[in-house]
Amino acid sequence: MVFDFAPVITYFPTLLKGVGVGSLVAIAVALMSIIGGLVVAVISIYTKKVVSWPLRFFIWLFMTTPLLLQLYFLYFGLGEWILIPAIVVGILGLGFHYMAYNADIFIATIKSVSDGQYEASRSLGFGHWNTILYIIVPQAFIRSIPQLGNNMILMVKDTSVLSAIGVAELVYASQYAISVSFRPFEFFMVIALMYYVINILMELGQAWLERRTAYRR
Amino acid sequence: MSTEQSTDTPMVEVRNVHKRFGDLEVLKGINLTVNRGKIISIIGPSGSGKSTLLRSVNHLEVIDEGAILLDGVQVNRPDMKGLAFERHINNIRQNMGMVFQHFNLFPHLSTIDNVTLAPRKLKGMDKKTARELGMEQLERVGLAEKADVFPNWLSGGQKQRVAIARALAMKPKVMLFDEATSALDPELVEEVNRVMRSLAEEHMTMLIVTHEMSFARDVSDWALFMDGGVVVEECTPDKLFSNPDQERTRNFLQKHLGNNH
Protein backbone atom coordinates (compact mmCIF):
# COMPACT_ATOMS: atom_id res chain seq x y z
CA MET A 1 0.00 0.00 0.00
CA VAL A 2 1.35 3.38 -1.01
CA PHE A 3 0.27 6.53 0.81
CA ASP A 4 -0.18 9.73 -1.16
CA PHE A 5 -0.67 12.84 0.94
CA ALA A 6 -0.27 15.23 -2.02
CA PRO A 7 -4.07 15.69 -2.52
CA VAL A 8 -4.39 16.48 1.21
CA ILE A 9 -1.86 19.25 0.78
CA THR A 10 -3.60 20.54 -2.33
CA TYR A 11 -6.94 20.67 -0.59
CA PHE A 12 -5.59 21.80 2.78
CA PRO A 13 -7.04 25.32 2.42
CA THR A 14 -10.48 23.74 1.92
CA LEU A 15 -9.99 21.69 5.06
CA LEU A 16 -8.93 24.80 6.98
CA LYS A 17 -12.07 26.54 5.79
CA GLY A 18 -13.96 23.55 7.18
CA VAL A 19 -12.22 24.02 10.51
CA GLY A 20 -13.25 27.68 10.37
CA VAL A 21 -16.92 26.89 9.77
CA GLY A 22 -16.83 24.15 12.40
CA SER A 23 -15.25 26.51 14.95
CA LEU A 24 -17.82 29.20 14.23
CA VAL A 25 -20.61 26.68 14.79
CA ALA A 26 -18.92 25.35 17.93
CA ILE A 27 -18.51 28.82 19.47
CA ALA A 28 -22.13 29.71 18.74
CA VAL A 29 -23.33 26.40 20.16
CA ALA A 30 -21.14 26.76 23.24
CA LEU A 31 -22.56 30.22 24.00
CA MET A 32 -26.12 29.14 23.32
CA SER A 33 -25.93 25.89 25.27
CA ILE A 34 -24.13 27.33 28.31
CA ILE A 35 -26.22 30.49 28.68
CA GLY A 36 -29.40 28.63 27.72
CA GLY A 37 -28.58 25.71 30.00
CA LEU A 38 -28.07 28.07 32.91
CA VAL A 39 -31.37 29.83 32.26
CA VAL A 40 -33.20 26.52 31.94
CA ALA A 41 -31.64 25.26 35.19
CA VAL A 42 -32.55 28.41 37.11
CA ILE A 43 -36.11 28.39 35.78
CA SER A 44 -36.65 24.71 36.49
CA ILE A 45 -35.37 25.05 40.06
CA TYR A 46 -36.82 28.38 41.07
CA THR A 47 -40.12 28.85 39.27
CA LYS A 48 -43.57 27.31 39.56
CA LYS A 49 -44.35 24.03 37.82
CA VAL A 50 -46.55 25.76 35.24
CA VAL A 51 -43.42 27.44 33.90
CA SER A 52 -40.78 24.82 34.58
CA TRP A 53 -42.56 21.64 33.44
CA PRO A 54 -43.15 22.57 29.79
CA LEU A 55 -39.51 23.64 29.65
CA ARG A 56 -38.33 20.40 31.21
CA PHE A 57 -40.45 18.43 28.72
CA PHE A 58 -38.85 20.32 25.82
CA ILE A 59 -35.39 19.61 27.21
CA TRP A 60 -36.30 16.00 27.85
CA LEU A 61 -37.29 15.63 24.17
CA PHE A 62 -33.81 16.71 23.13
CA MET A 63 -32.14 14.34 25.57
CA THR A 64 -34.09 11.24 24.57
CA THR A 65 -33.84 11.45 20.77
CA PRO A 66 -30.73 11.11 18.57
CA LEU A 67 -28.95 14.26 17.46
CA LEU A 68 -29.03 13.19 13.80
CA LEU A 69 -32.80 12.71 13.93
CA GLN A 70 -33.21 16.15 15.53
CA LEU A 71 -31.18 17.74 12.74
CA TYR A 72 -33.14 15.91 10.02
CA PHE A 73 -36.38 16.92 11.67
CA LEU A 74 -35.42 20.59 11.94
CA TYR A 75 -33.92 20.77 8.44
CA PHE A 76 -35.97 18.43 6.24
CA GLY A 77 -39.05 18.01 8.47
CA LEU A 78 -39.71 21.66 9.15
CA GLY A 79 -38.26 22.37 5.70
CA GLU A 80 -41.66 21.49 4.26
CA TRP A 81 -42.93 24.78 5.58
CA ILE A 82 -39.95 26.93 6.32
CA LEU A 83 -36.47 26.77 4.86
CA ILE A 84 -33.88 27.65 7.48
CA PRO A 85 -30.24 27.82 6.35
CA ALA A 86 -28.38 24.61 7.21
CA ILE A 87 -25.84 26.36 9.42
CA VAL A 88 -28.61 27.95 11.49
CA VAL A 89 -30.36 24.60 11.84
CA GLY A 90 -27.05 23.07 12.84
CA ILE A 91 -26.43 25.67 15.52
CA LEU A 92 -29.98 25.45 16.86
CA GLY A 93 -30.03 21.66 16.82
CA LEU A 94 -26.66 21.20 18.51
CA GLY A 95 -27.45 24.18 20.76
CA PHE A 96 -30.69 22.71 22.10
CA HIS A 97 -29.12 19.28 22.39
CA TYR A 98 -26.25 20.45 24.54
CA MET A 99 -28.41 22.99 26.33
CA ALA A 100 -30.27 20.01 27.75
CA TYR A 101 -27.09 18.33 28.96
CA ASN A 102 -25.64 21.56 30.35
CA ALA A 103 -28.90 22.34 32.15
CA ASP A 104 -28.59 18.98 33.88
CA ILE A 105 -25.12 19.93 35.14
CA PHE A 106 -26.24 23.37 36.34
CA ILE A 107 -29.26 21.90 38.15
CA ALA A 108 -26.92 19.64 40.12
CA THR A 109 -24.36 22.33 40.93
CA ILE A 110 -26.95 24.97 41.84
CA LYS A 111 -28.49 22.50 44.29
CA SER A 112 -25.03 21.79 45.71
CA VAL A 113 -24.56 25.39 46.90
CA SER A 114 -25.38 25.27 50.60
CA ASP A 115 -28.46 26.87 52.15
CA GLY A 116 -26.09 28.84 54.34
CA GLN A 117 -24.98 30.83 51.29
CA TYR A 118 -28.58 31.74 50.51
CA GLU A 119 -29.27 32.73 54.11
CA ALA A 120 -26.10 34.79 54.42
CA SER A 121 -27.02 36.75 51.31
CA ARG A 122 -30.62 37.27 52.40
CA SER A 123 -29.45 38.37 55.85
CA LEU A 124 -27.45 41.17 54.21
CA GLY A 125 -30.60 42.42 52.53
CA PHE A 126 -30.29 40.85 49.08
CA GLY A 127 -33.60 39.73 47.59
CA HIS A 128 -34.35 36.23 46.36
CA TRP A 129 -33.41 36.82 42.71
CA ASN A 130 -30.40 38.99 43.50
CA THR A 131 -29.14 36.19 45.74
CA ILE A 132 -29.47 33.74 42.86
CA LEU A 133 -27.72 36.17 40.52
CA TYR A 134 -24.81 37.30 42.70
CA ILE A 135 -24.27 34.36 45.04
CA ILE A 136 -25.74 31.06 43.85
CA VAL A 137 -25.17 31.12 40.08
CA PRO A 138 -21.51 32.25 40.13
CA GLN A 139 -20.63 29.50 42.61
CA ALA A 140 -22.60 26.91 40.64
CA PHE A 141 -20.88 28.03 37.44
CA ILE A 142 -17.41 27.57 38.90
CA ARG A 143 -18.35 24.10 40.11
CA SER A 144 -19.71 23.24 36.65
CA ILE A 145 -16.52 23.96 34.71
CA PRO A 146 -15.09 20.39 34.65
CA GLN A 147 -18.29 18.80 33.39
CA LEU A 148 -19.10 21.70 31.06
CA GLY A 149 -15.63 21.26 29.55
CA ASN A 150 -16.31 17.58 28.90
CA ASN A 151 -19.63 18.39 27.27
CA MET A 152 -18.08 21.02 25.06
CA ILE A 153 -15.39 18.59 23.89
CA LEU A 154 -18.12 16.10 22.97
CA MET A 155 -19.97 18.90 21.22
CA VAL A 156 -17.00 19.88 19.07
CA LYS A 157 -16.75 16.30 17.84
CA ASP A 158 -20.49 16.28 17.16
CA THR A 159 -20.19 19.24 14.79
CA SER A 160 -19.11 16.60 12.26
CA VAL A 161 -22.69 15.27 12.26
CA LEU A 162 -23.77 18.56 10.67
CA SER A 163 -22.21 17.33 7.43
CA ALA A 164 -25.39 15.27 7.08
CA ILE A 165 -27.44 18.40 6.43
CA GLY A 166 -24.76 20.03 4.32
CA VAL A 167 -23.00 22.37 6.74
CA ALA A 168 -19.53 22.91 5.26
CA GLU A 169 -17.57 21.93 8.38
CA LEU A 170 -14.40 19.86 8.31
CA VAL A 171 -15.83 16.42 7.41
CA TYR A 172 -18.15 17.87 4.78
CA ALA A 173 -15.33 19.94 3.32
CA SER A 174 -13.26 16.80 2.80
CA GLN A 175 -15.94 14.94 0.89
CA TYR A 176 -15.48 16.69 -2.42
CA ALA A 177 -11.70 16.41 -2.17
CA ILE A 178 -12.00 12.68 -1.43
CA SER A 179 -14.40 12.13 -4.30
CA VAL A 180 -11.93 13.59 -6.81
CA SER A 181 -8.68 12.28 -5.29
CA PHE A 182 -9.82 8.78 -4.21
CA ARG A 183 -7.67 9.10 -1.10
CA PRO A 184 -10.16 8.67 1.82
CA PHE A 185 -7.58 7.03 4.12
CA GLU A 186 -5.14 9.92 3.98
CA PHE A 187 -7.84 12.57 4.31
CA PHE A 188 -9.54 10.92 7.26
CA MET A 189 -6.17 10.39 8.94
CA VAL A 190 -5.39 14.07 8.69
CA ILE A 191 -8.88 15.11 9.75
CA ALA A 192 -8.68 12.84 12.80
CA LEU A 193 -5.37 14.46 13.63
CA MET A 194 -6.92 17.92 13.34
CA TYR A 195 -9.73 16.96 15.74
CA TYR A 196 -7.13 15.54 18.08
CA VAL A 197 -5.20 18.83 18.14
CA ILE A 198 -8.39 20.85 18.71
CA ASN A 199 -9.30 18.54 21.56
CA ILE A 200 -5.91 18.84 23.20
CA LEU A 201 -6.18 22.62 23.02
CA MET A 202 -9.63 22.52 24.60
CA GLU A 203 -8.46 20.23 27.38
CA LEU A 204 -5.57 22.58 28.12
CA GLY A 205 -8.00 25.50 28.25
CA GLN A 206 -10.29 23.62 30.59
CA ALA A 207 -7.44 22.64 32.89
CA TRP A 208 -6.30 26.26 32.99
CA LEU A 209 -9.80 27.47 33.89
CA GLU A 210 -10.11 24.84 36.59
CA ARG A 211 -6.79 25.86 38.10
CA ARG A 212 -7.78 29.52 38.00
CA THR A 213 -11.02 28.89 39.84
CA ALA A 214 -10.08 26.02 42.16
CA TYR A 215 -9.60 28.20 45.24
CA ARG A 216 -12.91 29.97 44.62
CA ARG A 217 -15.02 26.90 45.23
CA MET B 1 -36.45 53.54 58.25
CA SER B 2 -35.20 57.00 57.44
CA THR B 3 -36.71 58.73 60.42
CA GLU B 4 -34.63 58.32 63.55
CA GLN B 5 -36.63 56.91 66.41
CA SER B 6 -36.42 58.45 69.83
CA THR B 7 -33.65 56.99 71.95
CA ASP B 8 -35.98 55.24 74.38
CA THR B 9 -37.49 53.07 71.65
CA PRO B 10 -35.97 49.63 72.18
CA MET B 11 -33.68 48.54 69.34
CA VAL B 12 -35.19 45.07 69.23
CA GLU B 13 -38.45 44.04 70.75
CA VAL B 14 -39.82 40.52 70.76
CA ARG B 15 -43.45 40.28 71.84
CA ASN B 16 -45.14 37.01 72.69
CA VAL B 17 -43.49 35.10 69.85
CA HIS B 18 -44.61 31.58 69.03
CA LYS B 19 -42.99 29.31 66.47
CA ARG B 20 -43.98 25.79 65.50
CA PHE B 21 -42.27 23.21 63.32
CA GLY B 22 -45.23 20.97 62.51
CA ASP B 23 -46.60 19.75 65.84
CA LEU B 24 -43.53 20.82 67.76
CA GLU B 25 -43.75 24.23 69.37
CA VAL B 26 -40.16 25.50 69.63
CA LEU B 27 -40.93 29.03 70.85
CA LYS B 28 -43.74 29.28 73.38
CA GLY B 29 -44.45 32.95 73.86
CA ILE B 30 -41.09 34.68 74.06
CA ASN B 31 -40.74 38.30 75.21
CA LEU B 32 -37.46 40.13 74.96
CA THR B 33 -36.31 43.72 74.81
CA VAL B 34 -32.90 44.85 73.64
CA ASN B 35 -32.23 48.49 74.37
CA ARG B 36 -29.90 50.69 72.35
CA GLY B 37 -26.22 49.93 72.91
CA LYS B 38 -26.98 46.94 75.14
CA ILE B 39 -25.65 43.44 74.83
CA ILE B 40 -27.91 40.53 75.56
CA SER B 41 -26.74 36.94 75.69
CA ILE B 42 -28.96 33.92 75.34
CA ILE B 43 -27.76 30.60 76.70
CA GLY B 44 -29.43 27.23 76.93
CA PRO B 45 -29.15 23.59 75.87
CA SER B 46 -29.39 22.65 72.19
CA GLY B 47 -33.00 22.39 71.14
CA SER B 48 -34.00 25.08 73.62
CA GLY B 49 -35.10 27.39 70.80
CA LYS B 50 -32.37 30.01 71.24
CA SER B 51 -31.10 29.85 67.67
CA THR B 52 -34.64 29.77 66.31
CA LEU B 53 -35.39 32.90 68.30
CA LEU B 54 -32.36 34.72 66.92
CA ARG B 55 -33.16 33.64 63.37
CA SER B 56 -36.73 34.79 63.86
CA VAL B 57 -35.52 38.28 64.65
CA ASN B 58 -34.37 38.80 61.07
CA HIS B 59 -37.07 36.59 59.63
CA LEU B 60 -34.89 33.68 58.53
CA GLU B 61 -37.50 31.77 60.51
CA VAL B 62 -41.09 32.85 60.02
CA ILE B 63 -42.90 33.12 63.34
CA ASP B 64 -46.48 31.89 63.76
CA GLU B 65 -47.68 34.39 66.35
CA GLY B 66 -46.51 37.56 68.02
CA ALA B 67 -44.50 40.51 66.80
CA ILE B 68 -40.86 41.44 66.34
CA LEU B 69 -39.82 45.08 66.08
CA LEU B 70 -36.56 46.65 65.00
CA ASP B 71 -36.19 50.21 66.19
CA GLY B 72 -39.96 50.54 66.42
CA VAL B 73 -40.64 49.07 62.96
CA GLN B 74 -42.39 45.73 62.80
CA VAL B 75 -40.25 43.04 61.13
CA ASN B 76 -42.84 40.32 60.60
CA ARG B 77 -45.82 41.59 58.65
CA PRO B 78 -48.45 38.91 58.18
CA ASP B 79 -50.55 41.53 56.37
CA MET B 80 -47.96 41.99 53.60
CA LYS B 81 -47.60 39.58 50.69
CA GLY B 82 -45.27 38.86 47.80
CA LEU B 83 -43.05 41.59 46.43
CA ALA B 84 -44.21 44.22 48.89
CA PHE B 85 -43.08 42.05 51.79
CA GLU B 86 -39.85 41.16 49.99
CA ARG B 87 -38.99 44.86 49.68
CA HIS B 88 -39.93 45.46 53.30
CA ILE B 89 -37.83 42.60 54.67
CA ASN B 90 -34.83 43.43 52.46
CA ASN B 91 -34.89 46.95 53.90
CA ILE B 92 -35.17 45.69 57.46
CA ARG B 93 -32.35 43.19 57.00
CA GLN B 94 -30.00 45.90 55.74
CA ASN B 95 -30.17 47.28 59.26
CA MET B 96 -29.40 43.99 60.99
CA GLY B 97 -26.05 42.24 60.84
CA MET B 98 -26.13 38.48 61.17
CA VAL B 99 -23.16 36.26 61.98
CA PHE B 100 -23.57 32.52 61.48
CA GLN B 101 -22.02 29.51 63.17
CA HIS B 102 -20.54 28.31 59.86
CA PHE B 103 -19.43 31.78 58.66
CA ASN B 104 -21.09 31.40 55.23
CA LEU B 105 -18.54 33.60 53.48
CA PHE B 106 -18.99 33.72 49.71
CA PRO B 107 -16.16 31.49 48.41
CA HIS B 108 -16.20 32.91 44.88
CA LEU B 109 -15.40 36.43 46.12
CA SER B 110 -12.22 37.79 47.66
CA THR B 111 -12.32 38.93 51.26
CA ILE B 112 -12.79 42.58 50.34
CA ASP B 113 -15.52 41.72 47.81
CA ASN B 114 -17.30 39.69 50.47
CA VAL B 115 -17.37 42.83 52.58
CA THR B 116 -18.26 45.32 49.84
CA LEU B 117 -20.75 43.35 47.72
CA ALA B 118 -23.79 44.39 49.74
CA PRO B 119 -22.89 48.11 50.05
CA ARG B 120 -22.17 48.26 46.31
CA LYS B 121 -25.23 46.39 45.08
CA LEU B 122 -27.75 47.40 47.72
CA LYS B 123 -26.67 50.94 48.54
CA GLY B 124 -25.30 51.77 45.09
CA MET B 125 -21.91 52.68 46.52
CA ASP B 126 -19.18 53.21 43.89
CA LYS B 127 -16.24 50.83 43.84
CA LYS B 128 -13.70 53.21 45.35
CA THR B 129 -15.86 54.35 48.25
CA ALA B 130 -16.89 50.76 48.88
CA ARG B 131 -13.26 49.63 48.97
CA GLU B 132 -12.41 52.35 51.50
CA LEU B 133 -15.37 51.30 53.63
CA GLY B 134 -14.43 47.64 53.23
CA MET B 135 -10.81 48.25 54.26
CA GLU B 136 -12.05 50.18 57.28
CA GLN B 137 -14.19 47.22 58.35
CA LEU B 138 -11.39 44.72 57.70
CA GLU B 139 -9.06 46.85 59.81
CA ARG B 140 -11.65 46.80 62.54
CA VAL B 141 -11.39 43.00 62.68
CA GLY B 142 -7.63 43.06 62.15
CA LEU B 143 -7.58 41.52 58.67
CA ALA B 144 -6.78 44.41 56.33
CA GLU B 145 -3.78 42.49 54.97
CA LYS B 146 -6.08 39.68 53.82
CA ALA B 147 -8.24 41.94 51.64
CA ASP B 148 -7.40 40.31 48.32
CA VAL B 149 -7.24 36.75 49.59
CA PHE B 150 -10.05 34.25 48.97
CA PRO B 151 -11.95 32.77 51.94
CA ASN B 152 -10.59 29.28 51.33
CA TRP B 153 -7.15 30.54 52.30
CA LEU B 154 -8.32 31.77 55.72
CA SER B 155 -8.50 29.96 59.05
CA GLY B 156 -11.86 29.50 60.72
CA GLY B 157 -11.24 32.38 63.09
CA GLN B 158 -10.24 34.67 60.23
CA LYS B 159 -13.31 33.62 58.24
CA GLN B 160 -15.57 34.52 61.11
CA ARG B 161 -13.87 37.90 61.55
CA VAL B 162 -14.40 38.61 57.84
CA ALA B 163 -18.05 37.57 58.25
CA ILE B 164 -18.34 40.12 61.07
CA ALA B 165 -16.73 42.79 58.87
CA ARG B 166 -19.15 41.91 56.08
CA ALA B 167 -22.11 42.44 58.41
CA LEU B 168 -20.63 45.68 59.83
CA ALA B 169 -20.16 47.15 56.34
CA MET B 170 -23.91 47.67 56.10
CA LYS B 171 -23.75 49.86 59.24
CA PRO B 172 -26.36 47.78 61.04
CA LYS B 173 -28.33 49.01 64.02
CA VAL B 174 -27.97 45.65 65.73
CA MET B 175 -25.70 42.64 65.36
CA LEU B 176 -27.05 39.12 65.79
CA PHE B 177 -24.55 36.37 66.62
CA ASP B 178 -25.72 32.79 66.18
CA GLU B 179 -23.16 30.64 68.03
CA ALA B 180 -20.41 32.51 66.25
CA THR B 181 -17.60 30.53 67.89
CA SER B 182 -19.16 27.06 68.14
CA ALA B 183 -17.60 25.75 64.94
CA LEU B 184 -14.11 27.02 65.77
CA ASP B 185 -11.14 25.16 67.15
CA PRO B 186 -10.66 26.22 70.78
CA GLU B 187 -7.48 28.18 70.05
CA LEU B 188 -9.32 30.30 67.45
CA VAL B 189 -12.24 31.28 69.69
CA GLU B 190 -10.41 34.08 71.43
CA GLU B 191 -9.64 36.13 68.30
CA VAL B 192 -13.37 36.22 67.45
CA ASN B 193 -14.31 37.03 71.04
CA ARG B 194 -11.80 39.88 70.96
CA VAL B 195 -13.53 41.40 67.94
CA MET B 196 -16.91 41.03 69.63
CA ARG B 197 -15.54 42.69 72.78
CA SER B 198 -14.30 45.63 70.76
CA LEU B 199 -17.79 46.02 69.27
CA ALA B 200 -19.17 46.01 72.79
CA GLU B 201 -16.79 48.82 73.70
CA GLU B 202 -18.14 50.81 70.73
CA HIS B 203 -21.64 50.31 72.20
CA MET B 204 -22.90 48.23 69.32
CA THR B 205 -26.29 46.73 70.17
CA MET B 206 -25.85 42.98 70.17
CA LEU B 207 -27.95 39.89 70.60
CA ILE B 208 -25.74 36.88 71.18
CA VAL B 209 -26.59 33.19 71.23
CA THR B 210 -23.60 31.41 72.67
CA HIS B 211 -22.11 28.43 74.43
CA GLU B 212 -19.22 30.50 75.77
CA MET B 213 -20.36 31.02 79.33
CA SER B 214 -17.43 33.06 80.55
CA PHE B 215 -17.58 35.30 77.50
CA ALA B 216 -21.31 35.85 77.95
CA ARG B 217 -20.72 36.69 81.57
CA ASP B 218 -17.97 39.19 80.79
CA VAL B 219 -19.52 41.05 77.95
CA SER B 220 -23.29 41.11 78.43
CA ASP B 221 -25.54 43.62 80.13
CA TRP B 222 -28.32 41.09 80.47
CA ALA B 223 -28.52 37.33 80.13
CA LEU B 224 -31.31 34.88 79.37
CA PHE B 225 -31.51 31.18 80.00
CA MET B 226 -33.83 29.37 77.60
CA ASP B 227 -35.05 25.80 77.76
CA GLY B 228 -37.92 24.01 76.04
CA GLY B 229 -38.99 27.07 74.07
CA VAL B 230 -39.42 29.40 77.03
CA VAL B 231 -37.24 31.93 78.81
CA VAL B 232 -36.68 30.16 82.12
CA GLU B 233 -34.82 32.99 83.76
CA GLU B 234 -33.37 36.39 82.88
CA CYS B 235 -31.26 38.73 84.97
CA THR B 236 -27.82 40.31 85.09
CA PRO B 237 -25.13 37.90 83.92
CA ASP B 238 -23.43 37.94 87.33
CA LYS B 239 -26.56 36.71 89.01
CA LEU B 240 -27.44 34.22 86.24
CA PHE B 241 -24.04 32.57 86.29
CA SER B 242 -23.34 32.63 90.03
CA ASN B 243 -26.68 32.58 91.78
CA PRO B 244 -29.61 31.69 89.52
CA ASP B 245 -33.09 31.40 90.99
CA GLN B 246 -34.27 28.48 88.91
CA GLU B 247 -33.38 24.83 89.40
CA ARG B 248 -33.21 24.24 85.60
CA THR B 249 -30.70 27.05 85.17
CA ARG B 250 -28.54 25.66 87.98
CA ASN B 251 -28.61 22.16 86.47
CA PHE B 252 -27.65 23.45 83.04
CA LEU B 253 -24.82 25.58 84.36
CA GLN B 254 -23.49 22.81 86.56
CA LYS B 255 -23.38 20.44 83.62
CA HIS B 256 -21.93 23.01 81.28
CA LEU B 257 -19.36 24.63 83.52
CA GLY B 258 -18.47 21.18 84.82
CA ASN B 259 -17.65 20.10 81.29
CA ASN B 260 -15.65 23.17 80.48
CA HIS B 261 -13.48 23.52 83.54
Side-chain angles (χ1 to χ4, degrees):
Chain A
M1 177 132 193
V2 182
F3 297 118
D4 179 9
F5 283 93
V8 177
I9 293 163
T10 313
Y11 285 101
F12 204 71
T14 315
L15 296 186
L16 279 184
K17 222 184 253 175
V19 171
V21 172
S23 305
L24 194 77
V25 169
I27 289 167
V29 171
L31 285 175
M32 173 177 165
S33 66
I34 290 174
I35 296 168
L38 194 54
V39 171
V40 168
V42 167
I43 288 175
S44 62
I45 291 177
Y46 292 111
T47 61
K48 297 207 167 72
K49 284 176 184 166
V50 202
V51 185
S52 66
W53 280 35
L55 196 68
R56 286 184 113 154
F57 176 71
F58 181 69
I59 287 300
W60 175 80
L61 272 183
F62 275 92
M63 289 183 87
T64 50
T65 53
L67 175 62
L68 188 61
L69 179 73
Q70 292 162 16
L71 293 173
Y72 279 165
F73 182 81
L74 287 174
Y75 193 59
F76 300 114
L78 293 185
E80 288 198 41
W81 297 282
I82 177 172
L83 199 67
I84 313 167
I87 192 162
V88 176
V89 168
I91 290 170
L92 289 178
L94 266 180
F96 280 124
H97 192 84
Y98 278 94
M99 193 188 284
Y101 286 102
N102 289 348
D104 246 24
I105 295 172
F106 285 128
I107 286 172
T109 52
I110 286 172
K111 285 183 174 167
S112 76
V113 176
S114 76
D115 295 342
Q117 292 290 312
Y118 182 83
E119 287 190 346
S121 170
R122 293 306 304 269
S123 80
L124 287 167
F126 283 102
H128 174 70
W129 286 104
N130 270 342
T131 295
I132 292 166
L133 178 67
Y134 294 123
I135 306 301
I136 310 288
V137 162
Q139 291 183 43
F141 196 91
I142 289 170
R143 288 179 198 195
S144 303
I145 288 171
Q147 284 168 290
L148 278 182
N150 291 345
N151 269 2
M152 293 303 94
I153 285 169
L154 290 175
M155 180 271 285
V156 164
K157 290 187 287 184
D158 273 350
T159 55
S160 61
V161 179
L162 300 192
S163 61
I165 56 167
V167 175
E169 47 66 62
L170 185 52
V171 171
Y172 186 89
S174 68
Q175 279 167 4
Y176 172 74
I178 291 171
S179 70
V180 293
S181 67
F182 300 107
R183 286 287 169 191
F185 183 86
E186 287 84 344
F187 270 101
F188 288 138
M189 275 282 290
V190 170
I191 289 170
L193 199 70
M194 289 166 99
Y195 272 109
Y196 178 75
V197 171
I198 291 169
N199 253 324
I200 295 273
L201 290 177
M202 285 187 72
E203 272 171 31
L204 286 176
Q206 180 190 341
W208 176 79
L209 255 183
E210 277 180 47
R211 264 200 318 279
R212 288 243 7 199
T213 52
Y215 53 90
R216 294 185 174 215
R217 285 198 217 179
Chain B
M1 302 275 267
S2 51
T3 50
E4 200 55 40
Q5 305 285 327
S6 69
T7 44
D8 49 357
T9 313
M11 195 56 99
V12 177
E13 228 186 318
V14 173
R15 291 182 190 156
N16 190 31
V17 162
H18 291 259
K19 167 74 186 172
R20 279 176 285 272
F21 289 119
D23 290 336
L24 184 70
E25 191 169 24
V26 287
L27 298 178
K28 301 171 180 166
I30 304 285
N31 291 290
L32 166 67
T33 301
V34 187
N35 283 319
R36 238 158 258 276
K38 297 295 180 196
I39 295 156
I40 311 250
S41 289
I42 306 172
I43 60 165
S46 37
S48 61
K50 57 191 192 306
S51 273
T52 306
L53 173 62
L54 192 80
R55 290 164 54 82
S56 297
V57 170
N58 79 346
H59 210 263
L60 284 178
E61 300 291 351
V62 183
I63 60 173
D64 295 307
E65 262 175 72
I68 290 166
L69 288 87
L70 172 71
D71 205 3
V73 179
Q74 190 166 343
V75 176
N76 67 313
R77 291 286 297 271
D79 55 314
M80 284 173 101
K81 295 262 181 292
L83 266 181
F85 180 75
E86 169 116 352
R87 262 195 297 273
H88 160 77
I89 198 67
N90 291 345
N91 262 323
I92 293 265
R93 282 174 174 154
Q94 289 188 29
N95 294 289
M96 277 196 248
M98 176 103 180
V99 176
F100 298 87
Q101 184 179 355
H102 296 289
F103 333 128
N104 298 340
L105 288 183
F106 306 132
H108 62 302
L109 298 177
S110 66
T111 298
I112 185 80
D113 286 342
N114 263 275
V115 178
T116 59
L117 185 74
R120 278 194 288 132
K121 301 294 181 191
L122 299 175
K123 291 184 170 170
M125 199 175 278
D126 66 85
K127 246 189 144 143
K128 193 169 157 276
T129 320
R131 187 166 173 102
E132 279 165 18
L133 167 79
M135 290 308 295
E136 221 172 86
Q137 303 311 320
L138 284 175
E139 257 156 46
R140 219 163 151 187
V141 300
L143 286 171
E145 83 279 6
K146 300 285 187 191
D148 297 304
V149 163
F150 282 80
N152 279 342
W153 296 88
L154 301 176
S155 72
Q158 291 172 332
K159 281 182 190 171
Q160 195 60 298
R161 284 149 69 196
V162 173
I164 293 172
R166 177 176 70 178
L168 289 174
M170 289 300 280
K171 311 270 182 201
K173 296 180 172 185
V174 57
M175 288 284 285
L176 311 174
F177 291 88
D178 188 7
E179 298 187 18
T181 55
S182 297
L184 295 175
D185 292 334
E187 73 270 21
L188 301 177
V189 168
E190 194 41 45
E191 60 184 275
V192 174
N193 282 348
R194 213 162 30 234
V195 169
M196 289 170 72
R197 275 204 183 86
S198 74
L199 290 180
E201 280 158 19
E202 296 168 27
H203 302 291
M204 171 65 80
T205 311
M206 298 198 265
L207 188 53
I208 301 170
V209 165
T210 185
H211 284 140
E212 293 283 315
M213 300 303 155
S214 58
F215 176 74
R217 184 176 188 157
D218 276 6
V219 83
S220 335
D221 298 298
W222 197 249
L224 282 74
F225 171 67
M226 276 183 75
D227 194 11
V230 296
V231 176
V232 176
E233 184 166 1
E234 57 175 311
C235 52
T236 61
D238 274 339
K239 176 162 165 41
L240 190 81
F241 288 106
S242 55
N243 186 25
D245 289 331
Q246 300 295 321
E247 182 71 33
R248 276 154 91 185
T249 316
R250 268 198 295 277
N251 285 343
F252 171 78
L253 286 174
Q254 232 160 41
K255 230 168 100 188
H256 220 89
L257 297 175
N259 281 347
N260 275 354
H261 299 283

